[in-house]
Amino acid sequence: MGRTTRSVNYQAPTLEDVAREAGVSRALVSLVMRQSPKVSDARRKLVLDAAARLGYRPNANARSLASRQTRVLGAVLHELHNPFYVEIHDGIAQGAADRGYRVLIGTSEPRRGEQSALETLLELRVDGLILVGSRLPTPAILAVAETTPTVVVARDIRSPLVDSIKADERAGARHVVQHLVDLGHRHITHVDGGAGAGASSRRAGYRLAMREHGLHASIVPGDYTDRAGAVAAEKLLASRRRPTAVFAANDFVAAGLMSSLAEAGLRVPDDLSVVGYDNTYLAALHHVSLTTVNQPRPAMGARAVEFLMERIDGRTSPRRERMTPTLVIRGSTAPP
Amino acid sequence: MGRTTRSVNYQAPTLEDVAREAGVSRALVSLVMRQSPKVSDARRKLVLDAAARLGYRPNANARSLASRQTRVLGAVLHELHNPFYVEIHDGIAQGAADRGYRVLIGTSEPRRGEQSALETLLELRVDGLILVGSRLPTPAILAVAETTPTVVVARDIRSPLVDSIKADERAGARHVVQHLVDLGHRHITHVDGGAGAGASSRRAGYRLAMREHGLHASIVPGDYTDRAGAVAAEKLLASRRRPTAVFAANDFVAAGLMSSLAEAGLRVPDDLSVVGYDNTYLAALHHVSLTTVNQPRPAMGARAVEFLMERIDGRTSPRRERMTPTLVIRGSTAPP
DNA sequence: GTGAAAGCGCTAACAC
DNA sequence: GTGTTAGCGCTTTCAC
């Protein structure tokens, strides 16, 4: 095997090396690499062959330093574990690829803030930024938007500096309540999502809908985790007046809830109806079969890229888009 | 509001701007930014204040061009949707942060190969690369390792150029078979993971264990998706000789399997035992309660960073680590 | 500690 | 079409 690793102190070939190998000028190589049309096919091939021979790979740092653009979009997902965000990212990746942009996801230690992820991306001077489900304080986001085109998804920000895309959470929550009321439920409890993206709107929508139906709103605090659902279940089981239906802040909460309920011997939907939110694959599993609210995730991501492109191209007027959520009825709801 | 966006043609302040603002030389600012100890506290503060006033953010491109290192690690996850890979990434993020490195995840359009994600990271000249569950052809990985320190997780590569970390899948599969045999099963079918990372080892481990017990191995082809599980369930239901237990390639396959089984009116584990693999949160959901094999995911990620650091520091001898998997027994298995 | 000077690998005018 | 030139924003000797 001899010299095992070239990795250490390996010197990547440069434009200049390629030019020398091909016997042409550096400028010509640069033009070829940038796919300029004003290069003869013969010389192009000459250069490309030389580059391939050397294993040349353009240095993005040098390139963006000189050109003042990176053709890279930065994405920060609040949670990599939440399939909801990941599916939004699918739309982002697709949209970006369609336009010849790359996407990099900034990450940070588990749960240690999005700020550091953001910072990395910013130092790289990405051309634009998409924040998915961000829980960053608004001022922090605005400060970023001041310097870099920014759009937020699954969160609302009212500022001319950023565009936002989210589903109409209030409407989604109202659909849920309407569905349960139609089934005959009157005692409907909401386990909320705490500070999670969209949680306050879902809570507000629930409150509003309950009032409209002349029903009493009752809210158990939680967050977007199945753990929160389990905790909430215990509270519900211990309460004097058990609801006949529970509207969980998202599918994870609902799953945690259902697990604890099952452990306690309660059956869904016979003893209690449960509704989730987000329509993740979790909800679709037959064992779970959760009635839930669907948001057009990939479409939301694709739209974010669209808005971002417009901003990169100079649009300054803000865009705020509300996508329409739909209720997906499965087996976790039934008449009381 | 006046001029709404500064984003467009916003000119980020440079080292020079900070130096001017602080009334010092550029070199001093550079030293401060790199946290050099040989700067007096007074001058340090002077510079830091000026930088804060201007909203200065170092340009990573310029920095890495000059210093020939980025302090960034690139990660490529085969699938963002698979919580198994994401939890490995948690370990990576943690390990990297502990050592002052950043992590960027390369992405590509859904399902369109890891190669383009890799390319982006390589052009950025990341200091090292971690491939998680990669399905890239080995030569492609070796070509990359030739130029950049590389380690693979949840995949094995025998080459002095790359380190690898994976759990002992064969052992995991044997645990599964042993458990089922102990329960009294003799007709155990394996729904495999096709070309998935580790799938062939799980298959081999299953085969081996079955032979050791003098049992007949029977394999239904699949891949790492719940869809594959559903398809396999139909095949099993249609077969003359239905097994009493199924060992699924991973938890997703198991979930799909259980869903289809439930639809067909079969009960798990009463009519059929099911075992998964990976111990994702899916398996832990009470509604699923899947017996499965656990791999120490965050530890695997952390170890990957450790190896990568050694390689970046110059180690050239390869490391291959096999982590020990453990069987997690839940409610999906019972005597036939 | 501090300042000057060179150069990292590339792009972008600009002449030829 | 092709070659020349001047930076992009930073780090890194090296002399002071």
Side-chain angles (χ1 to χ4, degrees), chain B residues 6-24:
Chain B
R6 264 174 55 193
S7 311
V8 179
N9 51 44
Y10 157 78
Q11 260 306 339
T14 70
L15 249 197
E16 175 132 35
D17 296 326
V18 177
R20 197 177 313 119
E21 171 83 13
V24 300

Side-chain angles (χ1 to χ4, degrees), chain B residues 277-300:
Chain B
Y277 209 108
D278 286 347
N279 192 28
T280 54
Y281 62 77
L282 207 60
L285 289 176
H286 191 272
H287 267 61
V288 179
S289 187
L290 186 64
T291 294
T292 187
V293 177
N294 184 64
Q295 305 185 40
R297 291 147 289 182
M300 290 166 76

Side-chain angles (χ1 to χ4, degrees), chain A residues 286-287, chain B residues 230 233-238 242 256-268 271-272:
Chain A
H286 191 271
H287 268 60
Chain B
E234 281 165 30
K235 263 192 209 128
L236 292 178
L237 292 171
R242 188 187 298 158
L257 201 58
M258 289 168 86
S259 289
S260 288
L261 255 26
E263 272 172 41
L266 286 188
R267 308 198 321 164
V268 173
D271 300 319
L272 202 69

Side-chain angles (χ1 to χ4, degrees), chain B residues 29-30 45 67 72 78 102 147 160 163 237-238 307 319 324 336:
Chain B
V29 180
S30 175
K45 181 166 169 18
S67 69
V72 170
H78 174 69
R102 275 83 178 270
T147 72
D163 302 323
L237 292 171
F307 286 178
R319 300 261 242 144
T324 307

